[in-house]
Amino acid sequence: MDDQAWLVVNALPGMGALRIAQLLARQPQWPEGWLAALPSRAASELRLWLEHPTRSPLQNVVAQTLAWQRSGPSRHVLHRDHPAWPALLNELPDPPVVLWAQGDLSALEGPKLAMVGTRRPTGEGTHNAQTFARDLARRGWCVVSGMALGVDGVAQRAALNAGGRTIAVLGCGVDVIYPASHRDLHEQLSCLPGGLVVSEHPPGTLARPAFFPRRNRIVTGLSLGTLVVEATEKSGSLVSARLTLEQNRELFVLPGSLHNVQACGCLTLLRQGSAHLACSVDDIIADLGHWAEAFIPPATGEQLSEQEPLSDSLSDNSLPDSLLASLSATPTPIDLLVHATGVTVSDCQQRLLMLELEGWVAQQAGGWVRLPRP
């Protein structure tokens, strides 16, 4: 499916991210399979667009996006068939169907960490956000946040200033500047190398309160984990924390003073045992490093020969070799394995099943693990 087809699917009446994800799981052929699987109203609208696009209101969505792309540089429409589409999003029960993007698509490469926190950070919180974002950027990690006031903006500015990569996920169109005081940050994210602005809302869409909790699922969904810098007991950052755990990603928090109201939410997460304490970037990378390796291109044959030898039954098949090389005792999600090996989901699943039957791997909560050598 091309850009126009995905834009039309995204605009079909009576559908939504969750229903479209459920339909995609059935792998319908385009367009016949879609027409057969869609509810009657959506199917009728799609058929009209396919047969008489100029008479279809869906064509307006396509035309508006094409006009937006032509009106400026570095403007993109991302979807599952786009080479830059982040595979981690496909793990969500309701991933966005389309992402409008403006900026440098290379920001989507490599490991990513979400950084969130209060809109009113203390001096210590501001310093910590700057330090962690800078150190992450210098070590090749992309900082993902929402370009909000406070921790979000501080972290993203620090990542850009360090010459790193950062992605802002907006609760409005990518061409709408919200908050208005972040006009300069929006321009930097859209124009500087390593900066990218994305949104599941078409250009021109104004910010609405209901959009921001939905936006948070993309912030965390793009990332291997989330770092909460400072958060009050009722902070919106705790929504991101909950989403992180629901998405089976790692949650980290910075410690704070018992007397700091802005740190109460972080302390609650630690007391509940739902988050890891992070005192440095090393703590985060130590926990996520095995996942981050999956974003590195698969090892060459020469590199594989230097690793622990595999059984004779596997030595003549590079896919199982690369699968095993990508696994450890810590569960790894299948989409990261697909990314690491460069194969289809179906092939990867079949190989994992074979390896499981032979006693090499096992499936656990959060992904697949490599078992001790038999």
Side-chain angles (χ1 to χ4, degrees):
M1 293 169 58
D2 59 15
D3 292 359
Q4 294 193 33
W6 280 107
L7 287 166
V8 167
V9 165
N10 187 58
L12 288 174
M15 301 297 289
L18 179 59
R19 295 189 69 179
I20 291 175
Q22 293 170 341
L23 194 155
L24 282 168
R26 296 156 57 181
Q27 299 182 329
Q29 292 295 315
W30 176 262
E32 293 82 5
W34 284 81
L35 289 169
L38 285 168
S40 59
R41 181 185 174 201
S44 296
E45 292 290 345
L46 176 57
R47 184 174 291 105
L48 175 62
W49 179 78
L50 290 167
E51 297 175 355
H52 306 285
T54 58
R55 291 165 47 189
S56 169
L58 297 176
Q59 186 61 24
N60 294 334
V61 177
V62 174
Q64 289 168 4
T65 293
L66 293 177
W68 168 75
Q69 287 183 299
R70 290 193 297 266
S71 64
S74 303
R75 298 182 175 186
H76 317 273
V77 177
L78 304 180
H79 45 75
R80 291 188 186 216
D81 292 325
H82 192 288
W85 179 257
L88 272 176
L89 287 179
N90 295 339
E91 289 191 5
L92 305 185
D94 56 347
V97 181
V98 170
L99 282 176
W100 285 264
Q102 186 167 307
D104 183 2
L105 289 184
S106 72
L108 291 165
E109 301 171 0
K112 292 173 276 294
L113 186 81
M115 286 187 64
V116 300
T118 176
R119 285 171 169 75
R120 298 180 180 83
T122 63
E124 181 182 18
T126 298
H127 174 75
N128 287 337
Q130 291 171 332
T131 300
F132 273 75
R134 181 185 65 240
D135 291 352
L136 283 165
R138 288 175 176 172
R139 297 179 69 166
W141 285 67
C142 175
V143 173
V144 184
S145 202
M147 209 186 79
L149 296 172
V151 167
D152 287 23
V154 168
Q156 299 199 271
R157 290 181 194 276
L160 287 173
N161 291 339
R165 295 173 295 114
T166 181
I167 300 170
V169 186
L170 304 187
C172 53
V174 292
D175 57 342
V176 175
I177 300 172
Y178 184 88
S181 58
H182 275 175
R183 178 175 295 276
D184 64 324
L185 177 58
H186 184 279
E187 182 176 350
Q188 291 172 346
L189 287 163
S190 302
C191 301
L192 292 180
L196 185 67
V197 179
V198 302
S199 175
E200 66 179 330
H201 304 289
T205 304
L206 299 180
R208 298 179 185 174
F211 291 164
F212 292 97
R214 296 283 297 161
R215 177 272 308 269
N216 291 349
R217 87 189 193 287
I218 302 177
V219 171
T220 57
L222 284 168
S223 310
L224 295 175
T226 298
L227 173 64
V228 183
V229 177
E230 276 187 337
T232 62
E233 286 281 7
K234 297 184 179 181
S235 171
S237 300
L238 299 188
V239 174
S240 296
R242 174 180 57 79
L243 290 168
T244 299
L245 298 174
E246 290 176 354
Q247 294 166 1
N248 292 318
R249 312 293 165 85
E250 297 295 329
L251 179 62
F252 303 89
V253 300
L254 299 187
S257 168
L258 294 173
H259 308 291
N260 178 8
V261 175
Q262 302 289 13
C264 289
C266 293
L267 296 175
T268 297
L269 291 171
L270 288 172
R271 187 173 66 251
Q272 292 172 344
S274 55
H276 301 282
L277 175 66
C279 294
S280 70
V281 167
D282 287 335
D283 294 334
I284 297 172
I285 294 179
D287 280 338
L288 296 181
H290 65 284
W291 280 12
E293 291 172 0
F295 289 89
I296 301 172
T300 63
E302 180 179 348
Q303 291 171 320
L304 285 171
S305 66
E306 298 174 354
Q307 298 175 358
E308 178 184 349
L310 303 176
S311 71
D312 292 340
S313 65
L314 298 177
S315 60
D316 60 347
N317 194 320
S318 63
L319 177 57
D321 285 0
S322 59
L323 272 177
L324 286 172
S326 301
L327 289 170
S328 66
T330 304
T332 302
I334 191 171
D335 69 301
L336 293 185
L337 295 174
V338 169
H339 186 96
T341 56
V343 300
T344 65
V345 174
S346 177
D347 285 344
C348 191
Q349 289 173 330
Q350 291 177 9
R351 298 296 188 177
L352 286 169
L353 177 59
M354 178 190 73
L355 293 172
E356 184 178 32
L357 292 173
E358 294 183 1
W360 284 95
V361 303
Q363 189 172 18
Q364 297 181 0
W368 288 84
V369 298
R370 181 173 179 175
L371 298 175
R373 192 170 176 181

